[in-house]
């Protein structure tokens, strides 16, 4: 997808949500794998001032019901796996569900939902301090907790990371004779979009950079090596274990990874030997 195509698909989502009666502040859920529609849905939801609820795709059906009721969802986008998990609770839930990449009986599919919606982005005045997202904690000590974040908070996080990169470039400037990078910016989506790393660091940070984003269906180090070579990935980000699995892969030497200019991550400290490798 080009940036223009992504923009138009997101606009279709936003316009159709408005036609369905979704208003600023209403909660709309996203519960499926790292498909392109996840990004279209997120952009469409937030473009009209609604709150995107990034539901953990690993939740069981009972946990999904908890998240739906806890967040007060008005509408849910879900793929076949998540729809099947919710089937035993259908009588309990009063929520419109849009089926993504599937067509179960009794459900409106994604294509049907956006079929005749305008491709022009809704002209909605969204307050910077309005809520934009709800992400859930892991629930390791009790029930997962929905954490609200505003448009301003998310934008500030993106600007702060960009500022850090600018400071680094100022402190350690490249010589003027240094050749231009041979490949356009491209990164790999290594973690779920329902997590802040996938959503903010890898997806949303791509906009300002004009960066290509290549989504993985699920993490696999050997598959990631192939994607880095094939798609000429220039930056890699994830938890330290992922970078470790890359350099330790028995297939590491088989791939041309010369496009990769940076590898980073968070969530845990990286051991010195790990960093050296």
């Amino acid at each position: 997808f080009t940036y223009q195509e992504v923009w138009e698909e997101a606009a279709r989502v936003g316009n159709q949500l408005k036609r369905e009666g979704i208003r600023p502040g209403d909660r709309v859920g996203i519960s499926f794998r790292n498909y392109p529609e996840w990004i279209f849905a997120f952009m469409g939801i937030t473009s009209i001032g609604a709150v995107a609820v990034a539901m953990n795709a690993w939740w069981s059906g009972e946990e999904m019901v908890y998240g739906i009721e806890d967040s007060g969802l008005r509408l849910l986008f879900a793929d076949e796996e998540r729809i099947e998990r919710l089937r035993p609770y259908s009588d309990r839930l009063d929520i419109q569900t849009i089926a993504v990449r599937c067509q179960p009986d009794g459900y409106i599919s994604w294509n049907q939902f956006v079929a005749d919606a305008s491709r022009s982005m809704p002209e909605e005045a969204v307050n910077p301090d309005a809520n934009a997202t709800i992400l859930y904690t892991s629930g390791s000590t009790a029930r997962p907790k929905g954490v609200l974040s505003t448009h301003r908070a998310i934008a500030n996080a993106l600007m702060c990371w960009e500022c850090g990169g600018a400071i680094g470039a100022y402190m350690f400037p490249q010589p003027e004779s240094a050749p231009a990078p041979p490949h356009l910016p491209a990164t790999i989506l290594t973690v779920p979009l329902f997590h802040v790393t996938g959503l903010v660091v890898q997806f949303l940070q791509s906009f300002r950079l004009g960066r290509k984003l290549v989504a993985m269906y699920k993490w696999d180090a050997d598959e990631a090596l192939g994607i880095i070579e094939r798609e000429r990935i220039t930056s890699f980000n994830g938890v330290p274990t992922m970078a470790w699995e890359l350099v330790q892969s028995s297939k590491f030497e088989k791939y041309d990874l010369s496009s990769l200019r940076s590898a980073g991550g968070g969530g845990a400290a990286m051991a010195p030997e790990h960093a050296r490798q």
Side-chain angles (χ1 to χ4, degrees), residues 182-183 228 232-233 255-261:
H183 304 290
I228 292 170
R232 311 315 296 160
I233 298 297
Y255 294 97
D256 174 12
L257 310 179
S258 59
S259 63
L260 201 59
R261 296 172 56 83

Side-chain angles (χ1 to χ4, degrees), residues 178-205:
H183 304 290
L184 294 173
T187 197
I188 183 170
L189 183 60
T190 58
V191 296
L193 281 161
F194 63 74
H195 190 277
V196 68
T197 300
L199 172 59
V200 182
V201 179
Q202 297 181 0
F203 159 37
L204 291 179
Q205 200 173 26

Side-chain angles (χ1 to χ4, degrees), residues 270-277:
M270 184 179 285
E273 177 58 26
H274 183 173
R276 279 193 290 272
Q277 291 200 29

Side-chain angles (χ1 to χ4, degrees), residues 98-266:
I98 307 304
V100 179
R101 299 206 168 201
C102 60
Q103 182 65 82
D105 290 341
Y107 288 85
I108 297 173
S109 72
W110 173 280
N111 289 336
Q112 291 170 331
F113 184 73
V114 300
D116 60 349
S118 170
R119 296 176 184 270
S120 297
M121 189 60 74
E123 294 295 332
E124 195 77 36
V126 179
N127 188 318
D129 292 310
N131 291 320
T133 62
I134 296 178
L135 273 64
Y136 275 84
T137 64
S138 61
S140 55
T141 57
R143 285 281 200 178
K145 297 164 185 67
V147 181
L148 282 160
S149 192
T150 65
H151 290 267
R152 189 189 301 277
I154 295 168
N156 279 353
L158 294 167
M159 295 298 181
C160 284
W161 285 319
E162 189 172 325
C163 181
I167 291 171
Y170 178 80
M171 294 175 64
F172 305 100
Q174 293 289 317
E176 292 185 6
S177 59
H183 304 290
L184 294 173
T187 197
I188 183 170
L189 183 60
T190 58
V191 296
L193 281 161
F194 63 74
H195 190 277
V196 68
T197 300
L199 172 59
V200 182
V201 179
Q202 297 181 0
F203 159 37
L204 291 179
Q205 200 173 26
S206 295
F207 282 113
R208 292 265 296 173
L209 302 172
R211 184 172 67 181
K212 178 173 69 172
L213 181 66
V214 184
M216 295 193 73
Y217 185 73
K218 62 182 291 186
W219 169 250
D220 179 276
D222 293 342
E223 179 68 18
L225 289 168
I227 291 173
I228 292 170
E229 177 185 77
R230 185 169 63 252
E231 299 290 345
R232 311 315 296 160
I233 298 297
T234 60
S235 63
F236 175 89
N237 183 283
V239 297
T241 305
M242 290 175 167
W244 178 252
E245 289 179 357
L246 285 182
V247 298
Q248 291 296 312
S249 170
S250 61
K251 299 181 179 180
F252 183 80
E253 300 295 340
K254 287 180 55 180
Y255 294 97
D256 174 12
L257 310 179
S258 59
S259 63
L260 201 59
R261 296 172 56 83
S262 67

